[in-house]
Amino acid sequence: MTAASAALSLLPISISRQPFSKASSSSPSFVKKSGGISIRGGFKVLAVHGEEGVEGAVGSGLGKKSSSKVWETILDVENPGPRTMQAKGEVLDANQALEVARFDIQYCDWRARRDLMAIMLLHGKVVEVLNPLAREYKSIGTMKKELAALQEELELAHKHIHISEARVSTALDKLSKVESMVSDKILLVENSQESDSSATTAITQTTSSSSLTKQQRKGLNIAGPVQPYHPTLKNFWYPVAFSCDVKDDTMTPFECFEESWVIFRGKDGKPGCVQNTCAHRACPLDLGSVNKEGRIKCPYHGWEYSTDGKCEKMPSTKLLDVRIRSLPCFEHEGMVWIWPGDAPPSNTLPSLKPPPGFVIHAEIVMDLPVEHGLLLDNLLDLAHAPFTHTSTFAKGWSVPSLVKFLTPSSGLEGYWDPYPIDMEFRPPCIVLSTIGISKPGKLEGKSTSQCSTHLHQLHVCLPSSRNKTRLLYRMSLDFAPLLKHVPLMHILWKYFAEQVLNEDLRLVTGQQDRMNSGENVWNMPVSYDKLGIRYRLWRESLERESN
């Protein structure tokens, strides 16, 4: 049962596939050795090519369909069979090595299902032998012989399960190693202009692995004072406020890309976003008020502006045709969005609603003294939790021997192992996560699907300035709906969120200080940094495409 569960748990893993042609003697890039494939340079990937002549624990009985349609569908699957593969060059590259590991897992899954099916069939036979109706027609000696034979078959089936457990463990270790190799290759491909030409060749020797790591470090250089933001980063819809915070008679000031803006509702109740500077004497408009006509009134000389930036009233002087800058601004699914870029806005606004079944319990806005890229790096990293958040949600967490982030080959989403947490980076500055929990501060199971209750989080990291971020945080639960109506509960949630963020900020502000002094904050990325690395590569590719 353990081997079957372990193998079935591998099914959600998405691995990029790359077809192989039939092997030819002209390019012997890998050699089969006692059930394995040896890749030149000392790296070996286990590759099981089937077991001819082995029928399993109960012989040919495994080939028959189970009487139960459910178990038949799950367990009686096709034998993946032997695979013949050929490398594209003289050696097996990272994608091909990953494919070999995938064959391992596919076989282990089939073998585990067969073992489990064997035990189930044997269980049915034991029930049949012990059936009171059957005993009337059999002697005790006959029943003893049948049970003894079934006992031997059960022992053999359990032996196969232990072998399958070992194979699953080996396959997972190999997959983890190949995954790291592929991550290294992705970094090199994305930064090939800055790397030596030799870095783009296939993985050949163990010694080349270390050279890849060195070139990887050179390719991801986040050091020195934060430079002005690239204009293309502005060409996105940005959430800047929660709808509940934008009242009819108040203004919401904020900064975005080094500029000051203010949000307020017009006479029709729709929000607008204008420059937070009066055209007359550059007085901050948020120091004024919103009148009954839905216009903001400058506190200096009383000039009044509508949501499109037009000045509609100038007391004590002739009305002139004056406008201040305004941005496209819309309200969507409980959030106010703006488009700060020069390109035409896209026609649709993204959806950031919680998944079905979740109820929003808290919406919090904070201004943090850290550059938004560093904050995103932190939010996309879960491996730091048992070391950083020792006084809050990760109190008592054990430190795993290996932390992995499993994701499609080029995706910006995936799930953590061994933590039951799904995570996604959504351009330009949004992190979504779903955490499986049993009670506050506790983890249950190794995937979100194994957990009965969940916490869903939204983090929006709006780039206010080069050293400041406006954070919009929303927390939703799929349990305890009445908790939302407990008086002053929102104060408790805000206190807890601030405690968690303070644990992070102590470290991230230190990083920012070192970065401003010239240190590279991505000096030595490792395998669990995958999602943060892909975010940085996305930023770099966005800037390259616009040049």
Side-chain angles (χ1 to χ4, degrees):
M1 292 293 290
T2 304
S5 301
L8 288 171
S9 68
L10 297 172
L11 295 179
I13 299 177
S14 177
I15 303 175
S16 61
R17 297 190 57 181
Q18 189 167 346
F20 294 87
S21 60
K22 293 183 178 180
S24 65
S25 58
S26 60
S27 57
S29 56
F30 58 90
V31 182
K32 182 178 178 182
K33 287 186 179 181
S34 61
I37 291 179
S38 178
I39 300 177
R40 294 181 182 177
F43 178 74
K44 182 178 287 186
V45 178
L46 176 68
V48 183
H49 293 296
E51 297 175 347
E52 297 179 2
V54 177
E55 292 294 340
V58 293
S60 60
L62 285 177
K64 300 177 181 179
K65 291 186 178 180
S66 170
S67 59
S68 171
K69 294 296 183 183
V70 176
W71 287 109
E72 176 183 326
T73 303
I74 296 176
L75 300 178
D76 195 7
V77 297
E78 182 183 356
N79 185 344
R83 304 294 179 116
T84 301
M85 295 161 288
Q86 177 185 356
K88 293 180 291 187
E90 295 184 354
V91 294
L92 202 63
D93 71 10
N95 288 330
Q96 293 169 313
L98 189 60
E99 186 77 351
V100 172
R102 191 184 68 81
F103 290 158
D104 273 355
I105 294 173
Q106 194 175 38
Y107 173 80
C108 289
D109 171 65
W110 171 82
R111 181 71 265 174
R113 293 172 191 242
R114 301 283 285 182
D115 293 339
L116 181 57
M117 189 174 179
I119 293 177
M120 291 189 61
L121 292 176
L122 286 169
H123 175 267
K125 289 186 176 183
V126 172
V127 172
E128 183 180 347
V129 170
L130 297 178
N131 189 334
L133 296 178
R135 290 205 301 266
E136 294 180 2
Y137 304 99
K138 295 180 182 179
S139 65
I140 294 178
T142 301
M143 291 180 60
K144 284 185 176 180
K145 288 181 180 179
E146 291 180 352
L147 288 174
L150 291 174
Q151 180 65 32
E152 290 180 1
E153 293 186 51
L154 276 172
E155 290 178 358
L156 181 58
H158 282 290
K159 180 179 179 181
H160 275 283
I161 282 184
H162 291 309
I163 294 173
S164 294
E165 286 178 345
R167 283 173 173 160
V168 168
S169 177
T170 302
L172 287 174
D173 290 342
K174 297 299 182 184
L175 180 62
S176 176
K177 188 170 183 179
V178 174
E179 189 178 42
S180 298
M181 294 167 64
V182 173
S183 296
D184 291 343
K185 183 178 179 181
I186 290 172
L187 281 173
L188 289 171
V189 170
E190 294 289 344
N191 298 276
S192 58
Q193 295 180 350
E194 299 180 9
S195 303
D196 296 334
S197 59
S198 60
T200 60
T201 60
I203 300 174
T204 56
Q205 299 178 351
T206 306
T207 53
S208 68
S209 177
S210 60
S211 65
L212 291 177
T213 305
K214 292 178 182 178
Q215 296 198 23
Q216 167 185 326
R217 296 171 195 165
K218 294 179 181 178
L220 199 61
N221 184 19
I222 311 297
V226 180
Q227 299 301 310
Y229 290 108
H230 198 277
T232 55
L233 194 59
K234 299 180 181 181
N235 292 323
F236 290 90
W237 284 108
Y238 282 86
V240 294
F242 293 111
S243 295
C244 60
D245 294 333
V246 185
K247 310 297 183 182
D248 291 336
D249 57 350
T250 59
M251 288 176 282
T252 302
F254 67 96
E255 289 179 276
C256 183
F257 292 108
E258 310 281 349
E259 295 183 294
S260 297
W261 304 90
V262 62
I263 294 174
F264 66 102
R265 294 189 183 275
K267 190 174 183 179
D268 57 1
K270 296 180 179 179
C273 180
V274 300
Q275 186 179 6
N276 191 13
T277 304
C278 182
H280 180 211
R281 302 282 292 276
C283 178
L285 293 175
D286 68 291
L287 298 178
S289 60
V290 180
N291 59 28
K292 294 181 180 180
E293 286 74 31
R295 297 194 294 262
I296 52 176
K297 183 178 180 180
C298 177
Y300 208 167
H301 297 92
W303 289 25
E304 297 181 10
Y305 299 88
S306 58
T307 53
D308 61 357
K310 181 177 176 58
C311 184
E312 296 188 350
K313 189 173 183 179
M314 294 180 181
S316 307
T317 187
K318 181 181 177 180
L319 181 63
L320 303 175
D321 184 13
V322 174
R323 286 180 177 270
I324 56 176
R325 290 178 59 200
S326 64
L327 296 177
C329 180
F330 289 95
E331 192 168 19
H332 179 61
E333 295 180 348
M335 305 185 80
V336 178
W337 301 68
I338 64 167
W339 182 278
D342 296 329
S346 62
N347 294 328
T348 58
L349 289 167
S351 177
L352 298 180
K353 292 176 63 177
F358 282 79
V359 175
I360 297 173
H361 283 256
E363 292 180 334
I364 302 168
V365 180
M366 288 178 277
D367 291 311
L368 306 176
V370 64
E371 194 269 331
H372 96 288
L374 288 176
L375 185 59
L376 279 169
D377 290 341
N378 175 269
L379 293 172
L380 295 171
D381 168 27
L382 196 65
H384 75 278
F387 305 98
T388 303
H389 300 291
T390 54
S391 298
T392 53
F393 71 90
K395 185 176 183 179
W397 280 20
S398 60
V399 180
S401 58
L402 182 65
V403 175
K404 296 181 288 184
F405 185 78
L406 305 174
T407 180
S409 59
S410 60
L412 295 172
E413 61 183 309
Y415 60 97
W416 289 91
D417 180 14
Y419 303 122
I421 299 177
D422 301 336
M423 185 172 285
E424 174 188 359
F425 167 70
R426 188 172 297 180
C429 62
I430 299 162
V431 178
L432 299 167
S433 59
T434 301
I435 305 172
I437 57 176
S438 56
K439 61 180 67 175
K442 300 293 182 181
L443 292 176
E444 173 187 297
K446 291 189 176 181
S447 68
T448 54
S449 61
Q450 294 177 348
C451 302
S452 58
T453 55
H454 303 84
L455 162 70
H456 184 266
Q457 295 185 112
L458 163 72
H459 291 86
V460 178
C461 301
L462 182 70
S464 299
S465 68
R466 280 175 276 182
N467 294 296
K468 184 179 177 183
T469 300
R470 180 179 178 85
L471 175 66
L472 278 66
Y473 173 75
R474 186 178 66 200
M475 185 197 75
S476 306
L477 304 174
D478 63 356
F479 64 97
L482 296 179
L483 201 61
K484 180 178 181 179
H485 305 290
V486 175
L488 305 180
M489 196 65 194
H490 65 285
I491 298 178
L492 180 61
W493 288 132
K494 184 175 182 180
Y495 172 77
F496 183 76
E498 289 176 346
Q499 291 294 105
V500 174
L501 276 171
N502 285 335
E503 290 177 325
D504 285 320
L505 286 176
R506 182 174 64 92
L507 308 177
V508 179
T509 53
Q511 279 185 299
Q512 182 170 265
D513 178 66
R514 295 295 184 269
M515 185 177 73
N516 290 335
S517 299
E519 294 290 339
N520 182 8
V521 297
W522 275 105
N523 188 50
M524 191 178 293
V526 294
S527 59
Y528 56 65
D529 293 322
K530 183 186 301 181
L531 193 55
I533 290 171
R534 289 184 178 179
Y535 156 66
R536 288 294 181 174
L537 294 178
W538 170 81
R539 284 271 300 268
E540 291 181 4
S541 65
L542 190 70
E543 297 178 6
R544 285 199 304 268
E545 290 172 1
S546 63
N547 294 333

